[in-house]
């Protein structure tokens, strides 16, 4: 199999994971998970970000979908979410607000498939950045969706001052915060953005670069 074919197969696999995962409800939000990922990627694209950052934005939640049914869901009382975000959930008594550790699951999965360490690190950081921002900027918490406020509790809550200072020394600190901001804004109903196939050549080029088959 050629390197091109192998990379195409990897991209087929991750796109299928995103499409199949999107068939599950994005509980607590009013758009699908796939729309959310595409909107995050579109913001990266519009900002002129590099291709690794664009891919990280597109794939930041992939760990939500690569999980088996027994993986630990963050379950909470749906009425608590309705208090925070009226109309977000109808009927259900208990809901999941995500998969515990999905950022780490996603990063491991992407490394295994051949994505770069930068892509994996950016994916891995999008939950810790929420912990950073809620510690650093109290107003940030108020702007989170109901589901995101609830999942923060399961993710360890806001950082301590020591953790805040440590995070600000990370060389990827600024771009990690940027991805989180795109993530937060990627919840617009009926927004028109490029579809998944738009990102295929970017992902293939990236995977080929990682294999050392092309020069950049
Ligand atoms: Fe997200």
């Amino acid at each position: 199999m050629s390197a091109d074919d192998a990379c195409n197969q990897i991209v087929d696999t991750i796109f299928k994971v995103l499409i199949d995962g999107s068939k599950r409800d994005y509980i607590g939000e009013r758009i699908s998970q796939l729309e959310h990922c595409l909107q995050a990627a579109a913001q990266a694209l519009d900002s002129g970000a590099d291709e690794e950052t664009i891919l990280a934005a597109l794939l930041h939640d992939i760990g939500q979908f690569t999980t088996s049914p027994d993986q630990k869901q963050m379950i909470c009382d749906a009425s608590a979410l309705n208090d925070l975000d009226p109309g977000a959930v109808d009927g259900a008594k208990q809901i999941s607000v995500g998969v515990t550790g999905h950022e780490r699951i996603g990063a491991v999965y992407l490394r295994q498939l051949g994505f770069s360490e930068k892509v994996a690190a950016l994916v891995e950081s999008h939950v810790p950045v929420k912990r950073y921002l809620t510690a650093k900027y109290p107003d940030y918490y108020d702007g989170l969706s109901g589901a995101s406020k609830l999942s923060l509790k399961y993710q360890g809550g806001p950082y301590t001052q020591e953790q805040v200072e440590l995070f600000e020394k990370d060389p990827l600190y600024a771009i990690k915060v940027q991805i989180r901001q795109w993530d937060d804004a990627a919840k617009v109903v009926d927004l028109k953005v490029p579809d998944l196939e738009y990102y295929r050549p970017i992902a293939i080029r990236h995977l080929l670069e990682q294999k050392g088959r092309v020069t950049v």
Side-chain angles (χ1 to χ4, degrees), residues 90-165:
D90 295 318
K93 289 206 166 117
Q94 287 214 310
I95 54 138
S96 163
V97 289
V99 177
T100 310
H102 76 271
E103 72 285 7
R104 288 189 297 278
I105 295 166
V108 168
Y109 180 66
L110 292 173
R111 282 186 191 106
Q112 282 171 352
L113 290 178
F115 285 83
S116 71
E117 182 52 38
K118 179 174 172 181
V119 173
L122 293 177
V123 167
E124 194 158 18
S125 69
H126 80 279
V127 170
V129 173
K130 182 165 80 171
R131 299 182 61 200
Y132 164 76
L133 289 170
T134 51
K136 182 94 177 173
Y137 307 104
D139 287 354
Y140 178 79
Y141 178 85
D142 299 331
L144 292 177
S145 70
S148 199
K149 283 176 183 165
L150 284 173
S151 62
L152 176 65
K153 288 186 190 172
Y154 294 85
Q155 290 154 350
Y159 270 172
T160 63
Q161 185 55 33
E162 198 181 3
Q163 289 171 317
V164 164
E165 286 165 19

Side-chain angles (χ1 to χ4, degrees), residues 26 33 36-37 40 60-61 64 102 126 180 183-184 186-187:
Y26 188 8
Q33 273 276 12
H36 170 66
C37 296
H60 74 276
D61 272 338
Q64 296 270 21
H102 76 271
H126 80 279
R180 180 74 218 184
D183 182 13
D184 290 332
K187 294 173 182 178

Side-chain angles (χ1 to χ4, degrees), residues 147-201:
S148 199
K149 283 176 183 165
L150 284 173
S151 62
L152 176 65
K153 288 186 190 172
Y154 294 85
Q155 290 154 350
Y159 270 172
T160 63
Q161 185 55 33
E162 198 181 3
Q163 289 171 317
V164 164
E165 286 165 19
L166 194 63
F167 180 67
E168 288 175 347
K169 293 186 180 129
D170 183 335
L172 288 176
Y173 153 72
I175 194 65
K176 286 179 175 179
V177 169
Q178 182 65 82
I179 286 195
R180 180 74 218 184
Q181 288 166 338
W182 292 329
D183 182 13
D184 290 332
K187 294 173 182 178
V188 181
V189 178
D190 292 334
L191 186 68
K192 293 273 174 282
V193 290
D195 67 10
L196 204 44
E197 282 303 321
Y198 180 91
Y199 299 96
R200 180 181 292 272

